[in-house]
Amino acid sequence: MAMAYKMATQGMNIKDECKSWFTEMKWKKVHRFVVYKIDERSRAVLVDKVGGPGEGYEELVAALPKDDCRYAVFDFDFVSVDNCQKSKIFFIAWSPAASRIRAKILYATSKQGLRRVLDGVHYEVQATDASEMGFDVIRERAQ
């Protein structure tokens, strides 16, 4: 536990690929989502999975492990109440109940470092199970 705290307080190294994949998703719309993980050995945040343009929210949920923490960004396209096509980017902090305490602490304390790099996120969702980040929750927040 002390090592997780030490790693978090000294800061995580955010790899350049984290920002470049996010930028491609945001501006070029070539990805629907990016999942990030922390590599404890190298003390860095890395890209874990990238969702293609044809993949949707279900694929993002399937990409999140049931027993380990992750961060994710999702580009949510929708039609607003005034019939305009819009897009909002969500940052999801995934920390399932089955994950290790050490991982939960590490992800919670390292989140702001990654958030500072990902400029353009509209909403943040913290979830410990799938019901807390369901599609209805995302749609409701975006409206």
Side-chain angles (χ1 to χ4, degrees):
M1 195 87 85
M3 185 171 177
Y5 178 76
K6 181 180 177 188
M7 288 173 66
T9 56
Q10 290 179 349
M12 282 289 151
N13 179 21
I14 311 293
K15 295 291 186 184
D16 290 338
E17 67 179 3
C18 295
K19 186 172 183 175
S20 63
W21 283 106
F22 175 77
T23 304
E24 284 185 14
M25 181 191 78
K26 179 179 161 185
W27 294 112
K28 296 180 183 177
K29 304 286 187 189
V30 293
H31 315 297
R32 294 294 285 163
F33 64 85
V34 182
V35 178
Y36 302 97
K37 70 177 182 177
I38 293 177
D39 180 31
E40 292 182 37
R41 187 173 292 251
S42 65
R43 299 181 45 189
V45 178
L46 310 168
V47 172
D48 186 34
K49 181 166 178 21
V50 177
E55 294 187 63
Y57 193 70
E58 296 79 24
E59 288 82 9
L60 167 62
V61 173
L64 298 174
K66 305 289 184 231
D67 60 349
D68 200 6
C69 301
R70 292 289 189 273
Y71 303 119
V73 286
F74 177 67
D75 188 5
F76 179 61
D77 292 327
F78 65 100
V79 177
S80 67
V81 292
D82 53 345
N83 208 25
C84 294
Q85 185 69 32
K86 294 193 174 195
S87 176
K88 298 289 182 185
I89 296 176
F90 282 80
F91 180 89
I92 299 169
W94 174 247
S95 182
S99 60
R100 299 171 304 150
I101 298 291
R102 175 186 172 124
K104 290 179 185 181
I105 292 170
L106 191 58
Y107 275 79
T109 56
S110 302
K111 179 176 68 171
Q112 284 308 109
L114 180 60
R115 279 295 310 269
R116 279 192 292 273
V117 171
L118 305 179
D119 186 36
V121 171
H122 298 104
Y123 300 104
E124 181 175 325
V125 175
Q126 295 186 18
T128 58
D129 65 42
S131 68
E132 293 178 352
M133 57 175 267
F135 189 74
D136 293 339
V137 173
I138 300 295
R139 184 176 38 215
E140 186 178 305
R141 293 278 305 271
Q143 299 289 340

